[in-house]
Amino acid sequence: MGTSREKINSLMESRHPKKDSKGAAGFIKDKSRDKKIVRTSILGILANVLLAGTKAIVGIFSNSIAIILDAVNNLSDAASSIITIVGVKLASKEADKKHPFGHGRVEYLSAMIIALVVIYAGTTSLVEAIKKIINPLKPDYSPVLLILLAAGVAVKIVMGLYVKRVGKAVKSNALINSGEDALLDSIISTSTLAAALIYIYKGISLEAWLGAFISAVIIKAGFGMLRETISQIMGERADPELAKGIKETVAAYPGVSGVYDLVLNNYGPEYYNGSIHIEVPDTYSADRIDQMVRDITIEVLEKYNVILTAIGVYSMNTQDEEAIAAREAVGKIVMKREHVLQMHGFYIDNIKKRIRFDIVVSFDAQDRMEVYRKACEDVQKEYPEYSIEAAMDVDFSESE
């Protein structure tokens, strides 16, 4: 393939070969993924429209507010599928001057809109159910209507499992939300069917009360979806398995004695740019480090479809036995402090009398800055003739 620079360029080109295939930050946009999402969403629209129409007819003829509300809920599900399709199409747009990292995060916004639609549907249903509690109507069921209702339950279960499975396979939060909502609907429809049977055999009408319960369940589910999506938009830790894989790949390079500070920035499902620090011997030349950095960039891009936009370098003492011993001693001092997870990037300059290192402090600490200061003070006491240049670090990529 030629030089490392040429190979990097070739890989980058392969990730946006055509005008409409670019994803975020130069990644190839998986068209098969988009097609699966759109196809699954279209199936969802057709199924929900059919169910909504059937349940509306059943609800009107049986005078059942619970079934009518269930039909309205199916219409909201169809609307959610439309939003999913629109979100995928917008997320597929090329990166541009205003959005150089692409439009992949639109998928998170579409998932959030779906959650809001679910909340709205639940709220309006609750209002209607309360009205029927105040002014109740007697339902009138027939065997045909009950069979149609039971068939709707079966359709919802099958559709929910299918949509959720596809959503997990393609990592689409919008599809996962739609699948979970469909499974919830199947439970709701089963409850409606049970209420109908109770009325037929016991003469007890639970219609309005069941409608209110259904609405409350829908609202709760909607807020759960919304909370999860907002958390993703705010920025969550990267998948621990992805982070672990990248670190292991980089650590396997000859001369890399440590891998730290992996930061992965998400620009849509499976689209990451990132940075990392590596620790190398202080005897390495700039040319050797440059080649290593390029090789690491290529392998991480090939294996994980992650672009490491920056690879920082920590120099490690290898020539001075006293410096090597000092590293171990300082490490023990720092790690004695509660909530200190790690010390790395250590280097001691005996000529200029400087000691530098990074400290990773846990988020569990009540005052992270205080933990950092105390650790630095502990080191300073042991090495009073040195200036301490320590940075407080954060574990961005893995759970503590």
Side-chain angles (χ1 to χ4, degrees), residues 35-57:
K35 288 179 180 178
K36 287 179 182 177
I37 294 174
V38 171
R39 183 171 62 246
T40 304
S41 298
I42 290 174
L43 289 174
I45 293 170
L46 295 175
N48 279 306
V49 169
L50 179 62
L51 286 173
T54 303
K55 289 178 182 178
I57 294 172

Side-chain angles (χ1 to χ4, degrees), residues 197-254:
L197 294 174
I198 290 172
Y199 179 76
I200 291 172
Y201 291 104
K202 298 294 183 179
I204 301 173
S205 179
L206 302 174
E207 287 291 313
W209 292 102
L210 179 60
F213 173 75
I214 289 172
S215 302
V217 171
I218 292 172
I219 292 171
K220 182 177 182 297
F223 275 110
M225 295 176 190
L226 184 62
R227 181 174 59 253
E228 182 178 347
T229 305
I230 289 176
S231 177
Q232 291 170 330
I233 292 174
M234 289 176 64
E236 296 180 335
R237 286 181 186 270
D239 178 2
E241 289 302 314
L242 174 63
K244 181 181 178 182
I246 293 174
K247 285 186 173 182
E248 288 178 349
T249 296
V250 176
Y253 271 78

Side-chain angles (χ1 to χ4, degrees), residues 20-325:
D20 62 349
S21 63
K22 279 193 228 175
F27 293 96
I28 194 167
K29 185 64 179 177
D30 189 348
K31 290 185 176 182
S32 63
R33 174 182 182 273
D34 291 352
K35 288 179 180 178
K36 287 179 182 177
I37 294 174
V38 171
R39 183 171 62 246
T40 304
S41 298
I42 290 174
L43 289 174
I45 293 170
L46 295 175
N48 279 306
V49 169
L50 179 62
L51 286 173
T54 303
K55 289 178 182 178
I57 294 172
V58 172
I60 291 171
F61 278 96
S62 63
N63 204 25
S64 170
I65 180 61
I67 297 178
I68 292 174
L69 292 180
D70 203 0
V72 173
N73 189 38
N74 285 142
L75 283 178
S76 72
D77 293 344
S80 297
S81 295
I82 294 173
I83 293 169
T84 299
I85 293 174
V86 173
V88 169
K89 292 298 183 182
L90 291 175
S92 299
K93 290 176 61 180
E94 288 185 56
D96 53 38
K97 186 175 181 179
K98 191 172 184 179
H99 303 97
F101 293 103
H103 300 79
R105 285 177 176 170
V106 170
E107 287 197 37
Y108 297 142
L109 295 178
S110 64
M112 183 171 66
I113 293 172
I114 290 172
L116 293 173
V117 169
V118 171
I119 293 171
Y120 174 76
T123 303
T124 54
S125 297
L126 180 60
V127 172
E128 291 301 316
I130 292 173
K131 289 179 181 179
K132 296 302 178 183
I133 291 174
I134 298 173
N135 299 302
L137 295 174
K138 289 187 177 181
D140 181 20
Y141 299 106
S142 70
V144 174
L145 297 181
L146 294 179
I147 291 172
L148 289 174
L149 198 58
V153 172
V155 171
K156 269 296 184 179
I157 292 174
V158 173
M159 188 173 68
L161 292 173
Y162 173 71
V163 172
K164 190 172 182 179
R165 189 180 77 243
V166 174
K168 287 183 176 180
V170 299
K171 297 190 176 180
S172 168
N173 291 329
L175 276 187
I176 292 172
N177 284 354
S178 294
E180 289 178 347
D181 191 31
L183 291 174
L184 180 62
D185 290 346
S186 69
I187 297 174
I188 290 171
S189 297
T190 301
S191 301
T192 304
L193 182 60
L197 294 174
I198 290 172
Y199 179 76
I200 291 172
Y201 291 104
K202 298 294 183 179
I204 301 173
S205 179
L206 302 174
E207 287 291 313
W209 292 102
L210 179 60
F213 173 75
I214 289 172
S215 302
V217 171
I218 292 172
I219 292 171
K220 182 177 182 297
F223 275 110
M225 295 176 190
L226 184 62
R227 181 174 59 253
E228 182 178 347
T229 305
I230 289 176
S231 177
Q232 291 170 330
I233 292 174
M234 289 176 64
E236 296 180 335
R237 286 181 186 270
D239 178 2
E241 289 302 314
L242 174 63
K244 181 181 178 182
I246 293 174
K247 285 186 173 182
E248 288 178 349
T249 296
V250 176
Y253 271 78
V256 175
S257 58
V259 179
Y260 311 103
D261 306 330
L262 174 62
V263 178
L264 294 175
N265 299 307
N266 177 265
Y267 293 97
E270 297 190 288
Y271 296 130
Y272 290 95
N273 274 12
S275 61
I276 198 169
H277 274 95
I278 58 174
E279 192 169 51
V280 300
D282 54 0
T283 55
Y284 275 27
S285 65
D287 175 66
R288 186 171 182 178
I289 293 172
D290 177 58
Q291 186 62 55
M292 178 187 291
V293 166
R294 291 172 188 270
D295 291 342
I296 289 172
T297 301
I298 290 170
E299 185 166 356
V300 171
L301 187 56
E302 288 178 330
K303 278 189 175 181
Y304 307 100
N305 203 29
V306 172
I307 296 177
L308 292 178
T309 54
I311 300 180
V313 176
Y314 291 128
S315 179
M316 180 179 68
N317 297 106
T318 58
Q319 303 297 300
D320 188 338
E321 291 297 329
E322 290 185 8
I324 295 172

Side-chain angles (χ1 to χ4, degrees), residues 381-400:
K381 288 177 182 178
E382 293 296 322
Y383 295 86
E385 71 276 19
Y386 286 81
S387 63
I388 307 300
E389 300 173 356
M392 184 171 70
D393 240 338
V394 174
D395 178 9
F396 289 102
S397 60
E398 296 181 7
S399 58
E400 295 171 4

